[in-house]
Amino acid sequence: MERTAQLPGTSSCCHAGRRIRRGRKRNVTLARAKGGKEEATESKTDTEEANAFLRAVWYAAEGFGDVLATVQGKQTLDRSDRVLDEPTGALDRREVLRMLRDDYDKSYFISGVGEMAAYDPDCTFADPFVSFKGVDRFKKNVGNLGSLMQDVRLEITDWQEGDESLKSKWRFSCILDLPWRPRLAAAGGTTHVFDKRTGKVMEHIEDWDIEPGKVVRDLLRPSSRSPNNRAEAFFLSLSKGDAVGVWKASSKAIAIASLLLTFSSVSLDFFFGGEVRPPLPLLCLGLVAAATEVWNVRRDGDASK
């Protein structure tokens, strides 16, 4: 019979225990590595979803700005007119920095007000979720949306001048000229990369320190804590999760819409010779909303006495 050699003071049970402990340690290590990989994957997924959301918001804002410009009768910037006024040859760095400082003083990348003479016409504008070329497109976008911004405040918190670039950090706030007047606030930084040949800005790279969820919450929250109209009351209640407040603020609109739809449905049934059957759920909704509105008017009348 063969006999397995063992070291003095050891046994086969000890060897088995060591193998089990080594196996457990390796499994724990693999589990930790797997957990870290899952966390990194989840973090990457969250970032991609946030960037996709902001990219969609950006393109929607650009489209809305184009519609707004059409409604307001604004004319698109003619690039040929602007290029004729641009200086030729390489710009002095001190002159470029002075022009950038002047543009910052006018909150140019928020309001659209600024000469942007320090920029190359085909400058690349980029941020974490979108990138495009052209000063004209940049000025058009911020100019269209800038018309909706009021009480714009821009503060430069850092200004670092380098050989190849200028890095600035800033924070800003504004009130959007919407019926409920929400306030937007954010912070971030901009890197201006200079062209060695012309001395102008060839890349404008923005980094925004903002969360997509905060953007949505800010858009739904009026800047005034005491609402001055129904729109402010509606969005203030909505941001607080106050269902009763939302109903009271929207009761008039719901009553009008429900009763109009009920009347339209009955009219169509009558004219087409069918059986007249008013939509009872819609009619009841309108009557309840109308009763709520009567109560609101009486309450406001009593409060004003």
Side-chain angles (χ1 to χ4, degrees), residues 110-151:
I110 298 172
S111 63
V113 178
E115 298 298 329
M116 297 188 68
Y119 282 77
D120 185 277
D122 294 320
C123 174
T124 299
F125 295 87
D127 53 40
F129 46 90
V130 74
S131 175
F132 62 89
K133 284 181 175 289
V135 172
D136 291 342
R137 184 178 179 183
F138 178 85
K139 294 191 72 172
K140 181 192 70 171
N141 290 340
V142 296
N144 292 341
L145 296 177
S147 62
L148 288 176
M149 297 182 181
Q150 299 178 351
D151 192 20

Side-chain angles (χ1 to χ4, degrees), residues 240-273:
K240 293 181 178 180
D242 180 7
V244 175
V246 169
W247 172 257
K248 290 180 179 179
S250 58
S251 60
K252 183 177 181 179
I254 293 176
I256 295 174
S258 300
L259 295 178
L260 284 177
L261 290 174
T262 300
F263 177 77
S264 300
S265 177
V266 172
S267 299
L268 289 174
D269 289 342
F270 177 77
F271 283 114
F272 285 98

Side-chain angles (χ1 to χ4, degrees), residues 21 27 39 49 69 86 119 161 170 182 186 204 207 242 256 262 291:
R21 285 194 294 271
N27 291 338
E39 291 177 358
E49 290 178 354
E86 291 181 349
Y119 282 77
E161 301 174 2
W170 38 261
H204 174 109
D207 181 20
D242 180 7
I256 295 174
T262 300

Side-chain angles (χ1 to χ4, degrees), residues 201-214:
V201 178
M202 61 181 297
E203 292 184 36
H204 174 109
I205 306 171
E206 293 182 3
D207 181 20
W208 291 73
D209 183 13
I210 192 169
E211 300 177 1
K214 185 178 184 301

Side-chain angles (χ1 to χ4, degrees), residues 25-190:
K25 183 176 181 181
R26 182 175 61 182
N27 291 338
V28 170
T29 303
L30 292 175
R32 289 176 179 174
K34 183 179 180 181
K37 183 178 180 180
E38 289 177 352
E39 291 177 358
T41 303
E42 291 177 358
S43 177
K44 182 179 180 181
T45 302
D46 293 341
T47 302
E48 291 176 349
E49 290 178 354
N51 289 343
F53 171 81
L54 290 176
R55 188 181 299 111
V57 170
W58 190 93
Y59 283 115
E62 183 180 35
F64 177 75
D66 291 339
V67 173
L68 183 65
T70 303
V71 172
Q72 294 178 346
K74 289 184 177 181
Q75 294 183 351
T76 305
L77 179 66
D78 188 351
R79 174 174 172 174
S80 60
D81 293 340
R82 181 177 57 80
V83 171
L84 291 175
D85 296 333
E86 291 181 349
T88 58
L91 293 178
D92 181 70
R93 179 61 54 83
R94 290 175 298 180
E95 182 67 9
V96 170
L97 294 175
R98 182 194 65 79
M99 290 188 290
L100 286 174
R101 176 63 78 171
D102 290 343
D103 285 338
Y104 269 101
D105 291 340
K106 298 176 182 177
S107 305
Y108 77 106
F109 70 94
I110 298 172
S111 63
V113 178
E115 298 298 329
M116 297 188 68
Y119 282 77
D120 185 277
D122 294 320
C123 174
T124 299
F125 295 87
D127 53 40
F129 46 90
V130 74
S131 175
F132 62 89
K133 284 181 175 289
V135 172
D136 291 342
R137 184 178 179 183
F138 178 85
K139 294 191 72 172
K140 181 192 70 171
N141 290 340
V142 296
N144 292 341
L145 296 177
S147 62
L148 288 176
M149 297 182 181
Q150 299 178 351
D151 192 20
V152 178
R153 300 179 183 180
L154 176 65
E155 179 184 358
I156 307 300
T157 59
D158 193 21
W159 185 273
Q160 298 181 8
E161 301 174 2
D163 295 335
E164 299 180 353
S165 65
L166 164 68
K167 296 182 179 181
S168 66
K169 290 187 179 298
W170 38 261
R171 55 174 171 259
F172 91 99
S173 66
C174 70
I175 294 178
L176 294 181
D177 188 19
L178 296 173
W180 61 98
R181 296 178 60 78
R183 178 182 293 277
L184 294 182
T190 304

